[in-house]
Amino acid sequence: MNNTDLVFQSYGRCCRKDEFFVDFYDFFMSSSDTIRNRFLKTDMEAQRHLLRNGIMQLILHARGMSDRKLKALGESHNRNHYDIKPEWYTLWLEALLKTVRQHDPDYTPELGKAWRDVLNPGIDLIRGAY
Ligand code: HEM
């Protein structure tokens, strides 16, 4: 199996429980008050569903799908819209990896590395639109 298959299946295991997304935002918001403050007025229930799809888009991008949806995320997150600073994506990825480690019963350090390698190009695309 290649990395995108491994990550696709790992994400399937993570998505079995909604707590995956609850825990992700707990970890991510604990990264800093600046991050937490960005979500003060956000409907987190809706946001968790949007993120479920957003992570899928990152994985599909690595599997060769069109850039259209990630470009739209790059636009909504850029300096003219949510104004998400490029350096915050590192915190985002670390929070995600921590959540995967906790939720995927088949987690290994190699799988963690596969997650990073698979997601990074899509994250670069969104961050690069800043
Ligand atoms: C590659 C990583 C990320 C993905 C896949 C992602 C995904 C999403 C998605 C799917 C949405 C909803 C659709 C939209 O409004 O365009 C969203 C909204 C949002 N994201 Fe991200 N995001 C990422 C990184 C970040 C980071 C690093 C921050 C930093 C705080 C952030 C803050 C927000 C905020 C504030 C909203 C709007 C919330 C609201 O509607 O109140 N995102 N994100």
Side-chain angles (χ1 to χ4, degrees):
M1 253 197 288
N2 64 29
N3 274 354
T4 60
D5 292 333
L6 290 170
V7 170
F8 198 67
Q9 296 198 351
S10 169
Y11 190 47
R13 292 188 293 274
C14 291
C15 282
R16 279 182 209 149
K17 293 198 191 127
D18 287 344
E19 284 89 87
F20 178 81
F21 298 94
V22 175
D23 289 348
F24 166 76
Y25 277 111
D26 280 349
F27 290 142
F28 186 40
M29 289 197 212
S30 306
S31 319
S32 81
D33 284 345
T34 316
I35 301 289
R36 188 179 296 279
N37 290 341
R38 289 297 165 133
F39 294 104
L40 280 181
K41 295 184 197 138
T42 301
D43 170 352
M44 290 312 294
E45 169 113 32
Q47 185 66 23
R48 289 195 283 271
H49 279 282
L50 291 166
L51 184 73
R52 178 187 287 257
N53 188 255
I55 293 172
M56 183 55 84
Q57 295 306 326
L58 289 175
I59 298 173
L60 291 176
H61 173 73
R63 291 165 80 93
M65 278 261 305
S66 124
D67 286 351
R68 195 171 54 86
K69 294 207 169 132
L70 292 189
K71 282 190 175 146
L73 284 178
E75 171 87 16
S76 70
H77 286 64
N78 75 13
R79 68 182 79 226
N80 301 315
H81 298 95
Y82 302 144
D83 192 19
I84 303 305
K85 309 288 181 221
E87 59 269 26
W88 293 346
Y89 290 89
T90 313
L91 302 175
W92 187 96
L93 184 59
E94 292 317 313
L96 185 71
L97 264 294
K98 194 170 167 183
T99 322
V100 171
R101 191 163 70 227
Q102 206 164 83
H103 281 261
D104 182 356
D106 298 347
Y107 182 86
T108 60
E110 293 72 40
L111 182 60
K113 169 87 169 62
W115 267 93
R116 286 176 195 280
D117 290 348
V118 167
L119 294 197
N120 268 326
I123 294 173
D124 286 347
L125 196 154
I126 298 174
R127 181 175 38 209
Y130 185 69

